Amino acid sequence: MTDIRSRPAGLTKWVVTLPPGLFLVVFFLLPTLIVVLAGFRETGEFGGLAPIDGLAGLTLDAYRFLLGDVIYLEIFARSFFVAGLTTLICILLAYPLAWLIARSPKKRRDLLVLLVILPFASNFLVRIYAWIMILGPASLLYTPFAVIVGLVYTHLPFMLLPLYTNLEKHDPALLEAAQDLGAGAWTRFWRVTFPLSLPGIFSGSALVFIPVLGMFAVPELLGGTGDILIGNLIKEQFLDNRDWPLGSALSILLTACVLLLAALAAWAARRGLHGTEAVS
């Protein structure tokens, strides 16, 4: 009797998990393996990839070139700096706005959240071209300032929504208890509200920092030749220079950095959750 009941359950499990598993393998795992393999190939005579002849066609030239050229290391460093600065500005702007929305009445709260996500209803390029029309007359176009403005504008909702979701769940009784114990407004924020909001900060930071690293449209449209980031470099190698091995090597290095940052963010989030448990 037990075996008869377990067979439909096992069949249902396979039916449910097999389609998304195949989807991930075909559209994520296989392309990733192709890019990894392309990073160890040689450039063809007219670009692209040279014909491969077993292991003899594999080489580390792309990685040697990247690690041996200081220009690419500078672009990597600039990309990380821009991503970090964008994330920091998003935190500073999103935190008070998320706190205001979380403390607003229910009817007004829904309207404010709708206003936050409303820009997603319009095309991304249309919004960037709107910034071109705004920054152009002010002589701020094609400057690092324009790039930061565009990146913050496009990624601010990804920081605000996780923060709002976190702040909305805070128990007001904790702040009331801290106030009864004599804590002032600033002390209540740093000792209660901020530690409890760390998971939201970590989640929002990951949603902002990682996409900014690979962003190429905003720096290309709003920035100058000196504002090229790693995303622009990868796009140029594949589409303009047709140096697919170098572009693949850049993509793999960027993916490795993103995975490392994601692991660090997950570890920091777990530490933050332990801290919130201690506070509560």
Side-chain angles (χ1 to χ4, degrees):
M1 183 68 67
T2 304
D3 295 337
I4 296 177
R5 292 181 179 179
S6 62
R7 288 178 183 176
L11 180 61
T12 302
K13 178 181 178 181
W14 278 104
V15 170
V16 172
T17 59
L18 188 60
L22 290 176
F23 180 87
L24 292 175
V25 169
V26 173
F27 294 102
F28 287 90
L29 181 59
L30 290 181
T32 301
L33 294 177
I34 292 173
V35 173
V36 171
L37 181 61
F40 295 97
R41 300 275 298 277
E42 295 181 351
T43 307
E45 183 178 358
F46 301 101
L49 298 176
I52 188 171
D53 184 16
L55 296 177
L58 301 180
T59 177
L60 294 173
D61 290 344
Y63 291 95
R64 293 194 190 100
F65 181 76
L66 286 178
L67 299 177
D69 196 331
V70 67
I71 295 179
Y72 293 101
L73 298 179
E74 291 178 354
I75 294 176
F76 260 96
R78 185 190 308 132
S79 301
F80 276 88
F81 173 77
V82 170
L85 180 60
T86 302
T87 303
L88 178 60
I89 295 175
C90 285
I91 293 175
L92 296 177
L93 294 178
Y95 202 105
L97 183 56
W99 184 87
L100 176 63
I101 297 176
R103 295 296 179 269
S104 299
K106 179 64 177 177
K107 294 181 179 180
R108 189 183 304 173
R109 189 186 312 167
D110 296 338
L111 177 60
L112 293 175
V113 173
L114 177 62
L115 293 177
V116 170
I117 63 177
L118 189 60
F120 289 105
S122 60
N123 186 271
F124 172 78
L125 291 178
V126 171
R127 289 182 281 144
I128 297 302
Y129 275 104
W131 275 108
I132 293 177
M133 299 175 63
I134 294 173
L135 298 174
S139 300
L140 295 174
L141 195 58
Y142 307 127
T143 63
F145 175 80
V147 174
I148 295 298
V149 168
L151 291 174
V152 170
Y153 167 73
T154 54
H155 294 86
L156 185 61
F158 297 105
M159 178 67 72
L160 195 149
L161 293 176
L163 274 174
Y164 159 72
T165 303
N166 177 275
L167 292 172
E168 186 187 24
K169 297 178 181 178
H170 289 191
D171 188 357
L174 295 175
L175 294 177
E176 295 174 359
Q179 185 176 9
D180 293 338
L181 293 174
W186 193 247
T187 303
R188 294 196 302 270
F189 172 77
W190 281 113
R191 298 297 297 273
V192 180
T193 303
F194 184 76
L196 290 174
S197 64
L198 284 178
I201 293 177
F202 292 141
S203 300
S205 298
L207 291 175
V208 173
F209 189 92
I210 294 175
V212 170
L213 277 179
M215 177 63 66
F216 67 90
V218 173
E220 185 166 320
L221 294 174
L222 299 180
T225 56
D227 299 308
I228 183 173
L229 301 181
I230 186 64
N232 304 94
L233 191 60
I234 294 174
K235 189 266 296 183
E236 288 182 0
Q237 299 305 322
F238 276 104
L239 300 183
D240 300 335
N241 300 336
R242 288 186 53 80
D243 192 345
W244 292 6
L246 185 58
S248 299
L250 285 168
S251 302
I252 293 304
L253 289 178
L254 180 61
T255 302
C257 293
V258 168
L259 292 177
L260 178 60
L261 290 172
L264 291 175
W267 174 80
R270 287 195 296 268
R271 291 291 300 270
L273 288 174
H274 293 326
T276 56
E277 291 175 359
V279 172
S280 57

